[in-house]
Amino acid sequence: MNLFKKLMLFSLCTSAFSLSAEITVSKIFSSDMMLQRDKAVTVWGTADSDEKISVKIAGQKHETQVSSGKWSLKLEPLKVGGPHKMLIEGS
């Protein structure tokens, strides 16, 4: 494979990785944190505009659209229990 083809392949591979958006969640959310039980909890963060954000926790799945680089959504009240794993994804 000549040098030009190798550079093109490398360029295509690295550009595919740079297309993935970074989703951030507010610093208040971290490992081993506790959420208030029996109350709706708002989760928020930032991501690229027009990205669709999905949050899953304890059998709940909520989705929202990023607007002006920011997103937020409310979780339904959680019962006592846990530990729960929160999964935040973008598409």
Side-chain angles (χ1 to χ4, degrees):
M1 188 182 279
N2 68 25
L3 181 60
F4 178 75
K5 287 182 181 177
K6 288 180 182 178
L7 287 173
M8 287 301 293
L9 181 60
F10 177 77
S11 172
L12 286 173
C13 290
T14 56
S15 66
F17 289 116
S18 66
L19 293 177
S20 63
E22 184 172 333
I23 300 166
T24 61
V25 65
S26 175
K27 290 181 182 180
I28 195 169
F29 299 98
S30 64
S31 296
D32 301 319
M33 68 172 289
M34 289 194 226
L35 297 176
Q36 179 67 45
R37 70 177 183 155
D38 300 326
K39 300 276 185 184
V41 175
T42 303
V43 180
W44 68 94
T46 61
D48 287 343
S49 292
D50 299 324
E51 180 125 17
K52 185 177 177 182
I53 305 296
S54 167
V55 177
K56 298 176 188 175
I57 186 171
Q60 298 182 34
K61 180 179 179 183
H62 301 275
E63 296 178 334
T64 189
Q65 194 76 27
V66 177
S67 175
S68 300
K70 298 180 180 180
W71 61 271
S72 71
L73 51 79
K74 279 195 185 268
L75 302 176
E76 297 167 21
L78 296 170
K79 300 293 179 196
V80 74
H84 300 294
K85 182 183 250 183
M86 183 184 294
L87 178 64
I88 302 172
E89 298 178 306
S91 59

